[in-house]
Amino acid sequence: MADKWLRLGNPWEIPRPEIAFEVKFGGRTEAGRRDGRYRVRWIPDRIVRGTAYDIPVLGYGVPTANLLRLWKAEALESFDFQAFNTGNYYGAVLEKVVSENITKVLYPNDESPQGKLLRLQQQYFFASCALQDMLRIHTQRGARVDQFDQKYAVQLNDTHPAIAIAELMRLLVDEHDLDWEPAWGITQRTFAYTNHTLLPEALEQWSVPLFAQVLPRHLEIIYELNHRFLDQVRRRYPGDTDRLRRLSLIDESGPRAVRMAHLACLGSHAVNGVAALHTELLKQGVLRDFHELAPGKFSNKTNGVTPRRFLLLSNPGLAELLTRTVGPGWVRDLDELRRLEPHAEDPAFREEWRHVKSHNKARLAALLQQRTGVAVDPATLFDIQVKRLHEYKRQHLNVLHIITLANRLRRCPTLEIPARTFIFGAKAAPGYYLAKLIIRLIHGVADVVNHDPRLQGRLRVVFLPNFNVKNAQKIYPAADVSEQISTAGKEASGTGNMKFALNGALTLGTLDGANIEIRERVGPENFFLFGLSAPEVRALGARGYRPLDHYEQNAELRETLDQIASGTFSPGDARLFQPLVDNLLYHDAYFVLADFASYCAAQERIGAAYRDPEEWTRMSIRTVARMGYFSSDRSIREYCADIWHATPEPIALTRISE
Ligand SMILES: *Cc1c(COP(=O)(O)O)cnc(C)c1O
């Protein structure tokens, strides 16, 4: 179903029609000499106008607002009178429709060639509008273009806006008449790049013919950058042609493609990962050659989450208890939560802590009832996995355990384990077939489990549709257990792991992403660890991993997979889940079967621990008390100090009336 979120307009955005720029597409270039210098002119075959829309972002309890400036694509001429007058009524509005499509939706990165074309146009459109606007402000203030980097820092949030590096070069050299070398210095000092993924298949590349069609001038600029860059590499590593091939901005191993991550590294003075393990793996893996060239560029900036949204706003019950216990300072300085720790030993405080959690679970139960019709009991253990659906995040590992648990409970009705409610929320990318099949499986398992009289009061499974931030605010505060079960070495950081722990959930997790740092800070005794480590995953992969061994040797796993394969969870379509089962048995790139036994054992430890509510509550309190480091305030301060060299600007503190 379409989410028609703009049907009543957007009261928060302020149109700024007086702030508009032209963005060119396609066409060709013309080189020549002008004023005695080599100059290139870009003759586009289409021009689109980008108009600014501002969304004010208020500071917390301060009289300042930052502007989030968004851009809408419009046709320069919204109506073609010539076409209209010659009877071509459709043609008369076509240009308008085609132009506006650029910012209609976010184009996914796994699409058809037509979809890919629109995505590249979209990335370039936003990058160009933003840079033209920065240069406009900079020069209107009377500053010189060659001082641009002294006033602006541009952080590339993944490679999606990395085309901005070539665009700034074009603006400086072609439109502001700077020479190449100084322009490149300004560009490198302006940009920094944050990498967000270790999955090589997720690193963006654009086919050279597509790129040439949309951005002919930028392709020339990238070729020139590459030429100069590879000359330097050649001088430093004479004869090392393999290294040249690996470092090149152009991938020539198959059909030629522009490597956006390489452009981002080359054009930036700082490159960072988003968790300690992630940064280390970047340096050893996908960005190894760039690290060897310039190790000083690299640093780690572990992610954080905002305590204003993900605690104060989303968990008013806990926020009130925290403020009453340690004072209100934690909202701005999350380290203040440290002072909570002694209260873990206070039985009355623990009782209040549990009361808040029960209230939040009842609130989520009401939402689940309303959205799905499934009734869940807030007195049961809430075990929650909410995140985008991806094989590496291993929602299917969670499902395999649920089926196994159901089998155990049917076989042994007196099993002394706490009643559990497993809650899922996840969106799949539009073209990701296996991800959608896993969502289907979760629903199939929920249908069987929730209707089995032998499992009544012991086990429930619910899938909450439309996982977004608004729903998330009701979900994270209601969790007892946080599922952070990605294959070690695959999750860059995760932030859901932080939101859960900040709201008092205990983590069931692998040594992956920021889980490692969360475990170090909350203490290993308050973290349910399982699974292979990143080096173990790598070693097993190199040895030759045979998932079938686990199927053959683990009777419970075999029973579970046989049930999925034989249609137990897909009545009327026994073969529905065969592709998923085959993938696990014969491929299992994410080591689900290898970690299955360890995961089940950790779930057993959780069941035992949950039966001691006083100790469980102590663990929950200590977890929250030790989560201060994972505030986005800390994270942003590190970007300011180490990358942007931005110092705090004092603001006038006029009192805000209540
Ligand atoms: C925090 C959050 C995420 C990221 O979750 P991970 O578990 O870190 O993958 C995704 N979607 C929404 C809506 C979130 O709030």
Side-chain angles (χ1 to χ4, degrees), residues 38-56:
Y38 177 79
R39 286 290 170 228
V40 177
R41 223 155 57 90
W42 177 12
I43 303 119
D45 55 26
R46 197 151 69 87
I47 302 181
V48 171
R49 181 172 38 235
T51 303
Y53 288 75
D54 285 345
I55 296 187

Side-chain angles (χ1 to χ4, degrees), residues 386-387 393 467-469 472 476 484 494-496 499:
V386 285
K387 46 181 76 249
K393 291 173 183 279
F467 178 56
N468 57 21
V469 173
Y476 294 116
Q484 306 302 333
T495 54
K499 300 171 202 166

